[in-house]
Amino acid sequence: QTVVTQEPALSVSPGGTVTLTCGLRSGSVSTSHYVSWYQQTPGQAPRTLVYNTNTLSSGVPDRFSGSILENKAALTITGAQADDESDYYCVVYMGSGIWVFGGGTKLTVL
Amino acid sequence: QVQLVQSGSELKKPGASVKVSCKASGYTFTRYSIIWVRKAPGQGLEWMGRINTYTGTPTYAQGFTGRFVLSFDASVSTAYLQINGLQTEDTAVYYCARRDYHDSVDRFDPWGQGTLVTVSS
């Protein structure tokens, strides 16, 4: 069973706004989980987008933002572009030196 | 610049072992842990474990204990993932990444380019 939950798939229109979420099967996500978000396109290594819940990694466009929304971590893309079409993963620190990735969200821009 | 370079693709038979390397450059190797992540075909990313390159302590995720061994050689700034008793289900791309943990930063960055391990008879 998936401990960290993400929407399997979402779609957004070019220029639109979409929010991806990252929750826990039991309990709430907080800043103490040090959530980070990664973008992965086929055949490429993951790319860091956001860390520590809401800090944008260097070089990442500011149309990406991270937050906590209703007990889940969230990644919002404002003004989506075609090259935002990717898989997105959150990873949550569970304590005791263990992290767990969510199942990933496949984002389609159409 | 900070960089992780992984070893090349491997083709192994079931039951064999494989050792994937991850060579770091551009920073002091023992200051940052290295994590390993699996990406199986059609599946998502899985956090496999971490090796503390200062203390030498490995930590393994559930499901990656027993056959999986994390190690490193600080003299050549290289971390290793060894998988013993390979099974066809181990076919995946394996990534290493640095746990970039300092000041208020805590992220996995940078990442290696990935190593494809194919297990087939």
Side-chain angles (χ1 to χ4, degrees):
Chain A
Q1 287 181 316
T2 306
V3 174
V4 178
T5 61
Q6 294 185 247
E7 298 86 0
L10 290 171
S11 63
V12 61
S13 300
T17 296
V18 63
T19 296
L20 291 64
T21 68
C22 175
L24 293 176
R25 189 180 65 204
S26 56
S28 301
V29 175
S30 72
T31 55
S32 299
H33 287 100
Y34 303 102
V35 174
S36 49
W37 290 88
Y38 299 86
Q39 178 190 51
Q40 189 180 35
T41 52
Q44 299 295 313
R47 170 198 181 197
T48 313
L49 296 177
V50 168
Y51 60 92
N52 290 357
T53 304
N54 56 14
T55 304
L56 213 59
S57 201
S58 55
V60 175
D62 61 6
R63 65 177 182 273
F64 292 91
S65 62
S67 64
I68 296 287
L69 287 177
E70 297 180 4
N71 302 320
K72 294 183 179 181
L75 176 72
T76 299
I77 307 173
T78 303
Q81 299 184 1
D83 61 2
D84 295 335
E85 186 161 294
S86 287
D87 295 326
Y88 292 84
Y89 296 90
C90 65
V91 66
V92 177
Y93 180 62
M94 305 300 283
S96 302
I98 300 290
W99 282 259
V100 178
F101 278 97
T105 295
K106 184 177 183 62
L107 181 67
T108 301
V109 180
L110 48 72
Chain B
Q1 75 281 20
V2 177
Q3 190 172 262
L4 299 177
V5 178
Q6 297 183 224
S7 48
S9 298
E10 301 269 9
L11 174 60
K12 296 289 185 181
K13 294 190 182 304
S17 296
V18 69
K19 194 169 188 177
V20 178
S21 67
C22 170
K23 183 169 177 59
S25 60
Y27 72 97
T28 302
F29 181 75
T30 52
R31 286 192 60 188
Y32 299 87
S33 296
I34 295 288
I35 66 132
W36 290 88
V37 173
R38 181 170 78 180
K39 177 71 166 67
Q43 304 297 312
L45 300 178
E46 293 178 275
W47 191 88
M48 301 174 65
R50 174 187 79 164
I51 184 84
N52 184 317
T53 57
Y54 183 74
T55 65
T57 305
T59 303
Y60 298 96
Q62 205 170 14
F64 294 99
T65 56
R67 297 189 299 116
F68 300 83
V69 180
L70 303 182
S71 64
F72 67 93
D73 182 344
S75 69
V76 290
S77 299
T78 300
Y80 302 98
L81 163 66
Q82 181 164 328
I83 310 173
N84 300 315
L86 282 163
Q87 304 168 358
T88 55
E89 309 88 85
D90 294 323
T91 294
V93 176
Y94 292 85
Y95 294 99
C96 64
R98 184 183 73 160
R99 185 194 177 196
D100 185 17
Y101 181 53
H102 63 90
D103 302 321
S104 58
V105 175
D106 194 356
R107 61 185 177 180
F108 301 142
D109 193 271
W111 292 68
Q113 82 276 20
T115 297
L116 173 62
V117 175
T118 304
V119 184
S120 174
S121 55

